[in-house]
Amino acid sequence: MTSHPSPPHLEGRPRARDLGIAFDGEAGALNAVTDVPGLEVGFTTLIAGEGAHAVRSGVTAILPRGRGGVGDACAAAVHSFNGNGELTGRSWIDESGSLALPIAITNSHAVGPVHAGVDAWLAANRPDLAAQWLLPVVGETWDGYLNDINGAHVQPEHAVQALDAATAGPIAEGNVGGGTGMNCYGFKGGTGTASRAVRHDEDEYVVAALIQANFGSRAELRLDGFPLGQRTAAPNPMDSDWFAQDRAAARAVGGAGSAIVVIATNAPLLPGQCAALARRGALGLGRSGTAGSHFSGDIVLALSTANSGALSSVFPSDERAGYEQLRFVPWGRMDPFLTAAVQAVDEAVWNALVAAEDMIGRDGHESVALPHDEIRAAVARRAGH
């Protein structure tokens, strides 16, 4: 099996803007979630074999404050646009309004091994935290069309590798990490990211998103209102009776899949304001056409890396009572941040689609990437050329 931390492979792979798609808002320097200062992302990509036991999967790891900031809580909140999915650790985020541990994203049946891997990584790297209790956040989307999802191929060490590989700077998109075997709008999907710069008074902040895109039906995909999915000449091997043949059950419904979205910002926000950002993630998904299939678990996690040292939730070390303070953007000034979240999620979806490449997986199942020439033609048509 090919198991390796995946470095950026941006050379030769365009992003959505390179194909002429216009997006609102001002992108950050990298137009990526790593525009948030200190945030690091790592991947382990698993590609091996053919036939019934082909492996097309992996792990994506996010360290909101980087390796050195693990354990330092971020204000956080979760929104479930559609709950047919899993995100561990949500109960504690709901309770405390905070997140202090790594985030990992993988396939639906690998949540347990990845959770164990994050725990193991913390025990090795932060034994002080592991001596208390660990509630890492692990999200999932279903890659069983391309991947032997029941083969237990993703193991705890793959989560450890992804965490060890986490770095700042440009990050890979498309068929990498947890997004390796994913599909989006009936095309090859995967990992995508984008960011927006937001100014507040004399300060400049970033609102950024990373998505594991595995949602939407072919007929839903729209580019600036143009029904790109309906007009495409690309084949759609997923629109067949493959699921019935595999499982002796009903045909798979178009749009089934899921999306895990992480929205991160360095703007100082309250947990409730993070919840407002998370809700806007659903609007970002909808801009490309999805109505949110019942069979798609679309979950958004939003966090703020500001206010280091607050929201600590640690055992008292002495008898002295104390206080913590939070600095935050006034609610009445939140609109630019909410808009930026919608814009970043929308562009992250398109970056995942554009970066993805054709893939053949389990039992010869094929997923076709969205043709770049069709995107360029749709953009030209929109411009009246």
Side-chain angles (χ1 to χ4, degrees), residues 128 131-133 312-318:
D128 56 320
Q132 299 178 56
W133 72 92
S312 58
S313 298
V314 297
F315 290 129
S317 59
D318 53 44

Side-chain angles (χ1 to χ4, degrees), residues 334-360:
M334 278 293 293
D335 280 356
F337 298 92
L338 304 178
T339 299
V342 176
Q343 293 171 348
V345 172
D346 176 39
E347 186 168 0
V349 171
W350 284 102
N351 281 335
L353 285 165
V354 170
E357 302 176 76
D358 295 350
M359 178 172 280
I360 298 175

Side-chain angles (χ1 to χ4, degrees), residues 88-113:
T88 71
R90 179 180 178 179
S91 295
W92 180 240
I93 294 172
D94 290 345
E95 178 74 20
S96 67
S98 68
L99 177 153
L101 298 181
I103 302 163
I105 317 174
T106 188
N107 79 58
S108 302
H109 297 182
V111 171

Side-chain angles (χ1 to χ4, degrees), residues 6 22 32 76 85 100 132 145 163 180 189 232 236 260 280 361:
S6 304
Q132 299 178 56
Y145 174 71
L163 287 162
T180 300
T232 181
N236 186 6
I260 295 292
R280 270 60 182 191

Side-chain angles (χ1 to χ4, degrees), residues 2 4-10 13 41-47 56-61 105-107 141 143 146 154 158 162 170-183 188-193 210-214 351-353 355-359:
T2 301
H4 54 86
S6 304
H9 59 272
L10 305 180
R13 293 302 301 170
V41 177
F43 301 108
T44 299
T45 299
L46 303 175
I47 298 176
R56 306 288 188 269
S57 197
V59 181
T60 299
I105 317 174
T106 188
N107 79 58
T141 64
D143 61 10
L146 290 170
V154 178
H158 299 132
I171 60 176
E173 297 177 293
N175 305 356
V176 295
T180 300
M182 303 303 168
N183 305 285
K188 184 67 186 70
T191 302
T193 188
L210 182 143
I211 184 169
Q212 185 161 296
N214 191 54
N351 281 335
L353 285 165
E357 302 176 76
D358 295 350
M359 178 172 280

